[in-house]
Amino acid sequence: MSLKRFGVSLEGELLDELDRYVDANGFANRSQAIRFLVEKNVAEQKWQCGHIVAGTVIIMYNQTKRKITSKIAAIQQNYQDVILSSSQYYLNEQFCLHIATVTGEAFRLTELSDKLISIKGIKHGKLVMSRAD
């Protein structure tokens, strides 16, 4: 459920930084970037630890968008040490559900999910983890 409670004011320099962040990370708009940053901050506070965890990274994307699949593969290549398996489910001609099963240190899984979720064109993404140590 999405609620609009109040507007947020930012200084010009900070707003410029936000715009650069939006562009650099391929977010659709400022709201998506702010939402991602807040969720990331909350999750990182919970998972700034070396606990061994297991879980999944789930992303939904429009497969007709250019190069999303290759970007996912390139990112996952750098995280082979924590990825147990990776599957794609083509839901229809347009949408694909990608699930990566992962295990390792919590901060490393968070890092992986942040990179996947911030790919331009990702419609939804989520990391679900549970302690495994």
Side-chain angles (χ1 to χ4, degrees):
M1 185 166 125
S2 179
L3 295 174
K4 289 187 178 183
R5 294 186 179 165
F6 53 87
V8 175
S9 297
L10 299 174
E11 296 81 15
E13 189 174 316
L14 189 55
L15 187 59
D16 291 341
E17 286 295 325
L18 176 60
D19 287 338
R20 282 191 284 280
Y21 182 81
V22 167
D23 291 340
N25 291 283
F27 289 103
N29 53 49
R30 291 175 182 158
S31 294
Q32 185 183 30
I34 291 169
R35 189 169 41 255
F36 171 77
L37 290 169
V38 170
E39 289 173 355
K40 177 183 175 192
N41 185 290
V42 170
E44 283 180 358
Q45 286 181 356
K46 291 180 183 177
W47 295 106
Q48 282 295 334
C49 61
H51 292 300
I52 301 300
V53 297
T56 57
V57 180
I58 302 167
I59 53 177
M60 173 84 71
Y61 63 93
N62 183 336
Q63 65 181 347
T64 64
K65 299 290 182 179
R66 301 182 64 191
K67 300 184 182 182
I68 291 179
T69 304
S70 62
K71 289 178 183 178
I72 291 169
I75 291 169
Q76 288 188 150
Q77 190 71 24
N78 295 320
Y79 291 87
Q80 291 180 21
D81 58 312
V82 297
I83 298 174
L84 299 173
S85 68
S86 179
S87 301
Q88 288 74 239
Y89 300 93
Y90 299 96
L91 304 175
N92 55 39
E93 291 179 10
Q94 189 175 15
F95 288 104
C96 182
L97 177 66
H98 180 95
I99 301 172
T101 306
V102 293
T103 189
E105 292 181 272
F107 74 89
R108 183 105 165 110
L109 303 188
T110 301
E111 183 182 87
L112 167 62
S113 70
D114 288 350
K115 289 183 180 184
L116 290 172
I117 292 167
S118 67
I119 295 172
K120 184 176 183 177
I122 298 296
K123 298 294 181 193
H124 175 76
K126 186 165 185 96
L127 168 63
V128 178
M129 294 188 288
S130 182
R131 280 187 67 168
D133 59 355

